[in-house]
Amino acid sequence: MNSELTLQHGFDVYSIIGIIGIVQGFFFSVVLLTNIRHNHRANIYLGLCLLSISIGLIDIILIHTGYYLEYPWFLGVTNPVDTLYGPLFYFYVCALTSADFSWSKKKLLHLIPTALMTLLTVLIVLVPIEEKYKALTDFYEKRLATNTAFEIDWGDLIFDSLIYFQCLTYLILVFKRIARYEAEILENFSSTDRLSLRWLKLCLGVLLSLWTIWFLLGVFDQYDRYVIYLPVIASPFIYGMGYYGLKQPELFHFPSEKKKYESSSLTSDQSQNYLNRILELMENEKLYCDPELSLNTLAEKISIPDRYVSQIINEQRNQNFFDFINNYRINEAKKLLISDAHQHLTILAIAFDCGFNSKSAFNAAFKKYTGLTPSAYKKSLPQAS
């Protein structure tokens, strides 16, 4: 039967794109693993994540091109890496957003699925080559048949479901980690453009899409026919992930999470007194016009601990630091937009004068507080005589 199999070995445009993605993955993984300039600890996990994704794609290329028949001993060898994508991506985000994240024996628990999969792979490797070849020829004969009926392989379905939901669990953990970090950013900084992790949230969406497609192809018995689309999608994803990973600047690291203000010794009288000093500084010195203004800077200005400034703004104004400062900036911008003395200024110039460091940030904040864009707000008001 194996000598009569009519499958043609070879590469098409899909497999070539997939191979490009694999090469990119290996390249970026080496660069990230050897990059010691910044984020080295985090980049180790990102490099390993890209490396595992690239190794996993090799399996798909071998399936699509038919070269598994030439190398049947490779069957199942890449299976353990399927359990690594989620943990490694999670470790990367943890290391990127936390100064005290480090490897420990406790984190080995995350690798239990990988260990179990490795044991299963060892059993597969021990299967005689003849039996592997027989399984492969049966697989490709089914692939070549145009009238193959849909059927569910419950063993594969259970296995794929476990892998899929493991990945989904880690994507949820990553999302929660990023959300917590962004909340801390808003508590400590008045501008977030340079601290944004938007590209990581985009990665979450792409990873979820890739894994969902892979899972659904298996459920509907179409894995062998359409799985080649995964490397096509993954190729630009790998490039983007590697590129932005290398560009990612050092982030501000917050201390380990603790209950807010539970041990604070700040009294209500002190809180009101400090608030009055903060408001006086905002009105008289217009500190909000400094685009780099942070919680720590404001605390140093009035000589009180930054945790007190955060507590006062949260409890007395019911705002985080970001909203507190940007509210002042928007009010200042509204004054300048209708002021005769500032009619010569462009909207971008007004944004910069009020402490914003980009037009997009200004537009987003202005619309949040007024419901209008700056230009629409200006047109909505009667011209000063």
Side-chain angles (χ1 to χ4, degrees):
M1 180 176 65
N2 53 24
S3 62
E4 297 174 357
L5 194 65
T6 58
L7 177 72
Q8 294 293 319
H9 301 343
F11 300 93
D12 56 15
V13 65
Y14 301 113
S15 55
I16 291 173
I17 293 175
I19 291 172
I20 292 173
I22 292 171
V23 173
Q24 288 177 162
F26 281 112
F27 170 75
F28 278 116
S29 64
V30 171
V31 174
L32 287 163
L33 289 170
T34 57
N35 179 22
I36 60 174
R37 289 182 301 173
H38 61 274
N39 290 331
H40 179 59
R41 184 168 50 101
N43 285 342
I44 288 175
Y45 295 115
L46 181 59
L48 291 174
C49 182
L50 290 179
L51 181 63
S52 63
I53 291 174
S54 302
I55 293 173
L57 292 179
I58 293 175
D59 177 73
I60 295 175
I61 298 300
L62 289 175
I63 289 175
H64 182 71
T65 59
Y67 276 95
Y68 250 135
L69 290 172
E70 298 291 330
Y71 309 103
W73 56 268
F74 200 74
L75 182 65
V77 171
T78 64
N79 285 347
V81 301
D82 291 341
T83 63
L84 286 174
Y85 310 144
L88 288 173
F89 190 52
Y90 175 66
F91 291 159
Y92 168 67
V93 175
C94 289
L96 189 65
T97 58
S98 175
D100 57 2
F101 180 83
S102 59
W103 183 256
S104 63
K105 291 182 179 179
K106 185 178 180 180
K107 292 182 176 61
L108 288 172
L109 295 174
H110 292 273
L111 302 182
I112 289 177
T114 305
L116 295 175
M117 184 63 71
T118 301
L119 290 175
L120 179 61
T121 300
V122 170
L123 297 178
I124 296 175
V125 169
L126 295 176
V127 172
I129 292 293
E130 294 77 12
E131 292 186 27
K132 292 182 181 179
Y133 196 87
K134 173 65 167 59
L136 285 167
T137 52
D138 290 344
F139 171 83
Y140 282 115
E141 283 185 341
K142 177 184 177 183
R143 178 183 182 182
L144 290 171
T146 58
N147 59 346
T148 302
F150 167 71
E151 58 183 41
I152 295 179
D153 186 316
W154 290 103
D156 285 346
L157 180 59
I158 293 173
F159 176 79
D160 291 349
S161 297
L162 291 174
I163 297 294
Y164 177 72
F165 286 107
Q166 183 225 23
C167 181
L168 187 61
T169 298
Y170 278 104
L171 293 185
I172 293 172
L173 290 175
V174 169
F175 179 81
K176 292 175 67 175
R177 187 88 184 195
I178 293 175
R180 187 165 69 241
Y181 180 80
E182 290 181 332
E184 293 283 4
I185 291 289
L186 297 180
E187 293 285 0
N188 288 271
F189 294 93
S190 61
S191 299
T192 61
D193 286 358
R194 297 174 187 174
L195 301 168
S196 173
L197 292 177
R198 294 189 192 94
W199 73 273
L200 269 179
K201 289 192 284 189
L202 179 61
C203 284
L204 285 178
V206 175
L207 280 173
L208 178 60
S209 299
L210 287 171
W211 275 90
T212 301
I213 292 171
W214 170 83
F215 178 65
L216 292 177
L217 288 176
V219 169
F220 292 103
D221 201 29
Q222 299 297 315
Y223 180 83
D224 55 315
R225 297 181 186 275
Y226 301 109
V227 73
I228 192 58
Y229 293 137
L230 290 180
V232 175
I233 300 172
S235 185
F237 167 73
I238 289 174
Y239 178 84
M241 198 170 178
Y243 174 75
Y244 282 104
L246 288 171
K247 279 188 60 180
Q248 176 64 51
E250 293 278 358
L251 294 177
F252 184 87
H253 289 146
F254 302 99
S256 299
E257 192 174 24
K258 57 184 179 180
K259 291 184 178 180
K260 278 190 173 184
Y261 322 132
E262 65 177 2
S263 59
S264 176
S265 59
L266 188 66
T267 65
S268 58
D269 288 341
Q270 287 177 319
S271 179
Q272 188 59 51
N273 181 45
Y274 289 147
L275 176 63
N276 292 337
R277 288 169 59 183
I278 292 171
L279 296 179
E280 185 178 349
L281 277 175
M282 290 295 113
E283 296 292 342
N284 296 337
E285 297 189 23
K286 296 187 176 181
L287 295 182
Y288 52 83
C289 291
D290 177 9
E292 302 301 322
L293 182 65
S294 68
L295 184 76
N296 183 258
T297 305
L298 179 57
E300 289 179 353
K301 192 76 174 177
I302 56 178
S303 301
I304 66 172
D306 54 5
R307 65 181 183 278
Y308 284 173
V309 178
S310 176
Q311 181 179 352
I312 291 164
I313 293 174
N314 274 259
E315 293 180 347
Q316 299 281 1
R317 307 291 289 195
N318 196 29
Q319 292 177 305
N320 56 45
F321 181 75
F322 178 84
D323 287 333
F324 176 72
I325 298 301
N326 278 277
N327 187 55
Y328 275 99
R329 289 173 175 169
I330 294 303
N331 287 334
E332 181 71 12
K334 288 161 67 175
K335 295 175 185 177
L336 298 182
L337 284 170
I338 61 174
S339 169
D340 285 341
H342 297 86
Q343 290 303 304
H344 64 287
L345 294 179
T346 64
I347 289 178
L348 182 59
I350 289 175
F352 289 152
D353 285 349
C354 294
F356 292 97
N357 51 26
S358 72
K359 187 175 181 179
S360 60
F362 177 51
N363 286 339
F366 200 95
K367 192 165 186 179
K368 174 182 177 180
Y369 288 101
T370 68
L372 298 170
T373 62
S375 56
Y377 176 82
K378 187 174 182 179
K379 292 177 182 178
S380 70
L381 296 175
Q383 294 295 317
S385 57

